[in-house]
Amino acid sequence: MSVVATRPLGKLERLAYERQARDLERWPARSQEECEPDGYWWDEEAADRVVTFIEGYCRHHKGEWAGEPFILEEWQREIVRTVFGWRRPDGTRRFRTAYVEVPRKNGKTELAAAVALYLLVADGERGAEIYSAATKKDQARIVHDAAVQMVRRSPELRRFVEVYRNNLSVPALNAKFVPLSSDSDTLDGLNPHAAILDELHAHKDRHVRDVLLTGMGARRQPLEWIITTAGVYDPTSIGWEQHEYARSVLEGVFE
């Protein structure tokens, strides 16, 4: 696998590409059998599978591209492949958190919705609970509503996914995708397979995130997918805390 950008990159994006390239050299195993007990391995098929799902079954629902297949841009493809391609020695995903910080109107909502649909129907997790979470229900519905529109425009997904108010349900897998916010009636009893945290910079505290992370403890390979707007500075917020953590990893301050 080559990791070569075809356009100019910002500093942090360049560091993300470089990290992936280093990891591919550092951990050369390409199968679970080849993986060292304390290492990771690269699963090309798993990386490609998510891209194939999104581009094959998800469609745009706004603007001039409405109804057209969702063909990932280069940066979107690299994020998806990196998150889903790396595996631990036991075969589960290496990464449990993906932090996606990009400017407004660059497709982070649509990407999050498509990833959520993959996790709902194609990740091999029966009884999957997927949540799009935000501080307010209206914000939490944005990613969920994008996923609803993708289902409605996909003949293949409509065969498996039933659309209800505030719920995408897959009866064959006993799986669901619902919006969730800090002002929901209850945050108790959650068992998330995945959580899409929308606009993390707007979260005033850690409550919603901590509840979701705690609930993920019973899942074998849960995934937290964080999306937020680039350029927002608030040193007191959980969003900035996560920004600084991700920057420190990319800059090699710590692993």
Side-chain angles (χ1 to χ4, degrees):
M1 171 191 172
S2 61
V3 186
V4 179
T6 59
R7 57 187 169 74
L9 302 177
K11 175 186 174 183
L12 296 181
E13 190 178 9
R14 173 178 55 78
L15 290 175
Y17 274 77
E18 291 175 358
R19 181 194 188 194
Q20 171 71 344
R22 281 197 311 272
D23 285 355
L24 288 167
E25 292 183 3
R26 180 179 180 184
W27 292 295
R30 297 297 178 261
S31 70
Q32 189 171 0
E33 292 73 25
E34 298 173 354
C35 185
E36 298 293 333
D38 59 347
Y40 301 105
W41 60 284
W42 176 253
D43 187 342
E44 189 84 16
E45 182 180 349
D48 288 339
R49 185 184 305 124
V50 189
V51 174
T52 299
F53 174 90
I54 293 173
E55 296 187 342
Y57 302 126
C58 299
R59 295 179 178 273
H60 290 284
H61 64 282
K62 288 184 178 180
E64 62 179 310
W65 301 106
E68 295 295 318
F70 185 177
I71 304 301
L72 296 172
E73 295 184 29
E74 179 187 273
W75 68 268
Q76 295 171 321
R77 184 176 291 107
E78 284 301 317
I79 291 172
V80 167
R81 284 175 53 80
T82 299
V83 171
F84 286 91
W86 281 109
R87 299 282 161 166
R88 303 182 181 193
D90 64 1
T92 60
R93 276 189 290 272
R94 168 190 177 187
F95 294 116
R96 304 301 164 90
T97 296
Y99 179 74
V100 183
E101 179 183 298
V102 294
R104 295 185 186 278
K105 305 300 182 182
N106 274 274
K108 62 181 181 291
T109 296
E110 289 72 19
L111 178 62
V115 167
L117 287 174
Y118 174 85
L119 292 162
L120 179 70
V121 305
D123 201 37
E125 184 78 10
R126 289 189 173 275
E129 296 178 17
I130 316 297
Y131 296 99
S132 57
T135 56
K136 299 295 183 182
K137 179 61 72 72
D138 287 347
Q139 185 67 43
R141 286 182 57 91
I142 292 175
V143 172
H144 188 269
D145 287 348
V148 167
Q149 295 304 320
M150 288 180 180
V151 169
R152 286 177 171 164
R153 284 163 172 74
S154 171
E156 297 85 1
L157 291 179
R158 287 203 309 268
R159 293 171 53 197
F160 304 102
V161 184
E162 297 180 359
V163 179
Y164 300 101
R165 191 174 188 276
N166 295 330
N167 185 2
L168 287 174
S169 175
V170 185
L173 298 174
N174 190 32
K176 65 180 180 180
F177 176 23
V178 300
L180 182 73
S181 65
S182 58
D183 56 5
S184 296
D185 293 337
T186 179
L187 295 175
D188 298 328
L190 303 179
N191 183 19
H193 173 53
I196 313 296
L197 269 71
D198 196 5
E199 298 293 16
L200 189 67
H201 68 271
H203 290 235
K204 300 304 181 185
D205 55 44
R206 305 181 59 91
H207 178 58
V208 173
R209 187 185 186 205
D210 285 350
V211 168
L212 290 165
L213 290 177
T214 300
M216 288 178 174
R219 296 289 182 174
R220 186 166 178 258
Q221 55 173 7
L223 179 62
E224 176 192 34
W225 188 278
I226 298 173
I227 58 176
T228 196
T229 301
V232 177
Y233 174 72
D234 179 0
T236 67
S237 71
I238 180 179
W240 189 252
E241 174 188 314
Q242 190 66 33
H243 166 93
E244 287 296 279
Y245 175 84
R247 181 187 59 78
S248 296
V249 170
L250 291 179
E251 293 181 347
V253 177
F254 51 81
E255 289 198 32

